[in-house]
Amino acid sequence: MASLPAIANNSDIRFLGKLLGDVIRAYGGERLFEATETIRKASVERHRDVSEGKAADNTAVDLSLEKLSLDETLDFVRGFMLFSMLANLAEDRQGIAAEDGADLASAIAELESEGIDRAQIRALLDHALIAPVLTAHPTEVRRKSMIDHRNRIAELMALRDLGRDTTPDGDSVDDAILRQIALLWQTRVLRRDRLYVTDEVDTALSYLRDVFLPALPALYQRWDRALGERTPSFLRPGSWIGGDRDGNPYVTADSLKTALSKASEAVLGYYCDAVHALGAELSISTEHAPADAAVQALADASGDDAASRSDEPYRRALSGIYARLSATHDALTGKHAPRPGRLVGEPYANPADFRADLVTLAHGLGIALKTGGALGRLIRAVETFGFHLATLDLRQNSAVHERVVAELLTVAGAEPDYLSLDEDARVALLRRELANARPLTSRFANYTEETAGELAIVQAAADAHAAYGPACITNYIVSMAQSVSDLLEVNLLLKEVGLYRPGETPTAAIMAVPLFETIGDLEAAPAVMTAWFALPEIATISTARGHQEVMIGYSDSNKDGGYLTSTWQLSKASTALKPVFAAAGVGMQLFHGRGGAVGRGGGSAFRAIRAQPSGTVQGRIRITEQGEVIAAKYGTRDAAMTNLEAIASATLLASLEPERLSNADNASFSAAMDTLSDTAFKSYRDLVYGTEGFRTFFRQMTPIAEIAGLKIGSRPASRTKSDRIEDLRAIPWVFSWAQARVMLPGWYGVGRAIADFEDKALLKDMAQGWPLFASALANLEMVLAKSDIGIAERYAGLVEDDKLREIFITIRDGWHQTHDGLLTVTGQSRLLEKHPALDASIRLRLPYIEPLNLLQIELIKRRRAGEDDPRIGEGILLSINAIATALRNSG
């Protein structure tokens, strides 16, 4: 094996690591510090030997670990977890997450070099939508308290960068950092109680309120300068939290109302503070600057008759604006504004009226004050966040809709056995009901709990539209959508509360969005959407809206068909949908259901968006942001701005840059990918679904059962009570393989596909010239670098049956085959040879992950052998937390 270069030093890691050592010595004692150092040095030395091509001593680390008591084990695991957390912070500060060209100014320059002028760019942005959508998918194992301390350290490190010795409060910066690390050491890592939907709502709100609200207006100011004119507000956040009911019985109408109310309270509180601050800033006197007539009218209508402000029309106008905003806060949240004023105003009917008053003030200002500044940022915030903060999606499984609609039709006497109807009969019946203004529901009927709950949800959505405006909920995602009737059923439910209105020109205030998840669903997507647009009423609604969204699922397609087939089928489905939308005259908006791990669509969003098939982005894209990825990408304002700009610039490039492949290359590359995908699919399916006893092997080899003990989400791990792989959610599936360092969903089957493909020169051309294939290989390479087949073999030892344990031989051989095939195609002598920053990042962590894996294995053995010491269970959960922190995108 080629020897590896030395890992580049990171002064922040050395500094923070030293402070952590000081904290462990001070609070854990000298014995713990020495034991931790011994293990750390032994593990680092072992990995250094591996890097230099020497034989590794597999027992060196084990012998040291065996000397730890249970109490010391818990403290040791916490120490290594905290080091990984601090290392993540240090790397994020160095900008490892940022990529070359991933900013709007660079994207504009690149497009202009291709002959695309700013008028074309502006035309695209006029109808563009980019939406990162926060979801509650449970792969964030850290408590919010841990993340808050981490973010405070980031703020203090930023002061250090500026050469500051003291904080604004007068503390020594270095001492303040030490205190935060000490607080981390003494903060409980694990949640004691199950996470509730309201907890998930509060966590998401902390990012939206503390990061997105200040970051996006600042980003738009940067983009205005890059474009040379005011940029449309095309990037707006979304959320599933409180509206995603698919498999989560704890999401109800009440949780939907709570999510919406808390979001409105957060954004209105922000506006109140901003308007109050503007009142202090805009001290313009008519003695020095004549007031614009519109501004004077606002001032006169405000009710502010204080003599001290008689010559200050902007302050008087802002007093009236604040009074109306305060009344809006009271009306929408049921709570008083942060600073109740002495004036009384009428609530704003909608965000547009509030924005109009602010724009009136902006137009009245002089040239130097007219654009930008605090007033400009507030106007931008109102455009972006409205009174709802983030657009909340509804989501439910199509099977639930079927049952609910069947009951409604039966109770109303419209159809006694809807479920027995074939698709054509269902569509005909649903269309008749949708054309009829008569409601199906009756207040005198007794509905099942499921039906009553679904009706309560759509009623809460209608109430939200009336209160917060139609932008608060715009999409209704239909999981496992397989037919037109699956979408019409949503419209029927919406009609019951007035969100779908029949007539000569029917309207739908909320769009039914199909989620195509499995390989079969993705293949059928074009036919479903063709039939959808063929319905005249749907064509009318879609044309008026200008676009229709389709969601494509990375997680379940991967679990169903493996990494390579999922990647390719998602691309093929996107490509096949393009002419369907073009024929319908409707813009295509794809919603990418990506997760953190590569097995669920993770990896670089910048590369992934640019690798989308030509003509499929069209300036409109939504992307899920899940679990630990949210904290990594949006934990601080700087990180958020970097990652949001990367998404924006990639979308701009993918929408406007010319096709890179010739027709001949496109044809040959696609044919090759078809062959690769077919082979990889068969290999994956044979292992996961065709190998007898595989589900038992998986559940015994990985800590899937132990992961269930982590209080990291409100959603059950499985859709049903069965132990079938098909019924297991994709997140725990991927998360479990990551813990065992196999990471099987991110690579299995690719090695066989490459080995069986004869024209290796063509594969090398694809890796060089095709962004889709290059991106897929880059993500695959990262997965292989984070996996460890030697450690994985230790986990295989947890499998009780000798015969079942032999399944690991197939996995091991597949890993080596994939590893060797990747190096052949990419022309490298070792993994990540062409990606030194990522290489250094991963190799820095490996010595800290391996001892955690070995400890986890031993603790699982003891737990499964019947030992009931609660410290064993706690140690397992801590190790899961620590390994996930070190791997970063593990779920």
Side-chain angles (χ1 to χ4, degrees), residues 92 142 186 212 264 370 416 552 568 854:
D92 289 344
R142 296 168 299 176
Q186 296 176 88
F212 280 81
S264 183
K370 192 169 188 176
I552 50 178
W568 181 227
L854 297 173

Side-chain angles (χ1 to χ4, degrees), residues 80-149:
F80 267 40
M81 182 209 66
L82 291 179
F83 174 81
S84 295
M85 180 184 286
L86 295 173
N88 294 346
L89 166 62
E91 288 186 346
D92 289 344
R93 283 171 36 75
Q94 279 199 342
I96 286 178
E99 298 167 80
D100 291 339
D103 61 272
L104 209 67
S106 296
I108 291 171
E110 183 171 341
L111 290 172
E112 288 182 324
S113 71
E114 299 281 358
I116 297 164
D117 61 29
R118 297 199 176 202
Q120 292 170 279
I121 295 172
R122 171 63 197 234
L124 177 81
L125 293 179
D126 280 339
H127 71 270
L129 172 68
I130 300 171
V133 181
L134 308 187
T135 81
H137 285 46
T139 57
E140 174 55 88
V141 293
R142 296 168 299 176
R143 292 176 63 212
K144 185 63 169 56
S145 298
M146 304 287 289
I147 297 171
D148 289 342
H149 288 306

Side-chain angles (χ1 to χ4, degrees), residues 291-485:
D292 180 269
V295 173
Q296 190 64 54
L298 268 182
D300 292 342
S302 70
D304 185 354
D305 56 4
S308 60
R309 289 189 291 275
S310 61
D311 65 327
E312 296 173 339
Y314 286 89
R315 281 181 165 168
R316 291 174 59 218
L318 284 164
S319 293
I321 291 172
Y322 189 91
R324 295 194 66 186
L325 192 59
S326 178
T328 307
H329 188 287
D330 292 358
L332 293 185
T333 71
K335 300 178 183 178
H336 291 307
R339 296 182 183 86
R342 64 179 182 83
L343 300 180
V344 177
E346 286 292 319
Y348 282 109
N350 52 59
D353 289 351
F354 174 40
R355 179 188 178 277
D357 283 352
L358 297 176
V359 169
T360 295
L361 298 184
H363 287 169
L365 295 171
I367 296 298
L369 302 172
K370 192 169 188 176
T371 59
L375 178 56
R377 288 191 294 273
L378 178 55
I379 292 171
R380 181 67 79 173
V382 177
E383 291 178 3
T384 305
F385 303 105
F387 288 162
H388 61 282
L389 183 57
T391 298
L392 184 63
D393 287 356
L394 304 180
R395 183 169 81 130
Q396 183 56 284
N397 195 288
S398 61
V400 174
H401 297 143
E402 282 184 349
R403 294 193 295 268
V404 169
V405 167
E407 181 175 357
L408 292 179
L409 291 168
T410 298
V411 172
E415 169 55 52
D417 194 4
Y418 174 76
L419 296 179
S420 70
L421 301 179
D422 62 22
E423 174 64 10
D424 288 344
R426 287 188 182 189
V427 169
L429 172 59
L430 292 169
R431 290 185 67 200
R432 287 196 302 272
E433 289 297 331
L434 282 168
N436 191 335
R438 165 189 53 80
L440 284 173
T441 53
S442 168
R443 69 180 68 183
F444 304 108
N446 292 318
Y447 297 107
T448 61
E449 183 178 351
E450 180 178 61
T451 295
E454 294 303 307
L455 291 174
I457 283 283
V458 291
Q459 184 59 61
D463 294 343
H465 271 225
Y468 310 112
C472 69
I473 301 174
T474 59
N475 301 311
Y476 194 131
I477 314 296
V478 184
S479 298
M480 302 304 291
Q482 299 173 333
S483 64
V484 167
S485 66

Side-chain angles (χ1 to χ4, degrees), residues 503-681:
E504 289 188 14
T505 306
T507 60
I510 294 178
M511 174 169 47
V513 176
L515 167 50
F516 299 113
E517 300 177 81
T518 66
I519 300 300
D521 291 345
L522 289 168
E523 291 174 339
V528 172
M529 296 312 296
T530 297
W532 179 245
F533 290 133
L535 303 180
E537 62 273 32
I538 298 304
T540 298
I541 292 169
S542 301
T543 303
R545 186 190 297 119
H547 67 275
Q548 166 69 46
E549 180 169 286
V550 168
M551 186 173 184
I552 50 178
Y554 289 66
S555 302
D556 282 288
S557 62
N558 176 278
K559 184 162 69 72
D560 184 39
Y563 173 62
L564 194 67
T565 300
S566 171
T567 299
W568 181 227
Q569 288 297 334
L570 287 161
S571 178
K572 287 181 70 174
S574 301
T575 301
L577 284 168
K578 184 173 65 171
V580 173
F581 278 74
V586 176
M588 183 165 68
Q589 177 173 300
L590 291 180
F591 186 7
H592 297 261
R594 292 162 53 90
V598 168
R600 297 197 308 112
S604 164
F606 181 72
R607 287 200 307 266
I609 294 172
R610 293 200 67 182
Q612 293 303 304
S614 178
T616 63
V617 177
Q618 301 178 10
R620 303 187 69 90
I621 189 169
R622 297 206 304 150
I623 303 173
T624 53
E625 301 286 22
Q626 304 180 0
E628 79 281 10
V629 171
I630 295 175
K633 294 175 69 172
Y634 306 113
T636 66
R637 173 174 159 167
D638 288 342
M641 292 177 71
T642 296
N643 286 289
L644 290 171
E645 183 150 31
I647 295 172
S649 56
T651 302
L652 195 62
L653 290 167
S655 301
L656 292 175
E657 63 187 348
E659 171 65 76
R660 301 296 181 186
L661 294 180
S662 66
N663 289 336
D665 282 345
N666 195 31
S668 64
F669 289 177
S670 295
M673 198 65 166
D674 279 336
T675 301
L676 291 169
S677 174
D678 289 345
T679 306
F681 179 78

